[in-house]
Amino acid sequence: RLRETTSADKLVTLTPAECEAVLLAAQCLDNQKIADRLSINISAVKTRLHSAFRKLGVVNRSQLVAMVK
């Protein structure tokens, strides 16, 4: 019997870079603050978050925060 995919199962599919961005976004940091914190450009933040949203099956930060917490 197959078990349902849980939030934790989905979270482990993230790369370390995506995980960093997701955790900072879950702390309500905006893209610029995440970029500053990670010393990357804002487009890299957007790419990481977009990829994470797709993998996690969420469409916005509210859903992301709910999944991570």
Side-chain angles (χ1 to χ4, degrees), residues 1-63:
R1 178 176 160 207
L2 295 175
R3 66 182 179 85
E4 281 189 42
T5 303
T6 65
S7 295
D9 293 330
K10 291 179 182 178
L11 287 170
V12 299
T13 67
L14 299 179
T15 66
E18 291 164 349
C19 239
E20 284 180 319
V22 164
L23 292 174
L24 293 173
Q27 294 174 28
C28 299
L29 274 72
D30 63 26
N31 289 349
Q32 185 60 60
K33 288 183 179 151
I34 295 170
D36 293 344
R37 188 80 65 90
L38 297 177
S39 300
I40 59 176
N41 64 44
I42 198 164
S43 66
V45 172
K46 290 177 183 179
T47 299
R48 291 176 186 190
L49 289 176
H50 176 76
S51 179
F53 281 25
R54 184 179 43 77
K55 288 179 181 181
L56 299 174
V58 299
V59 296
N60 60 46
R61 285 181 189 236
S62 296
Q63 290 178 344

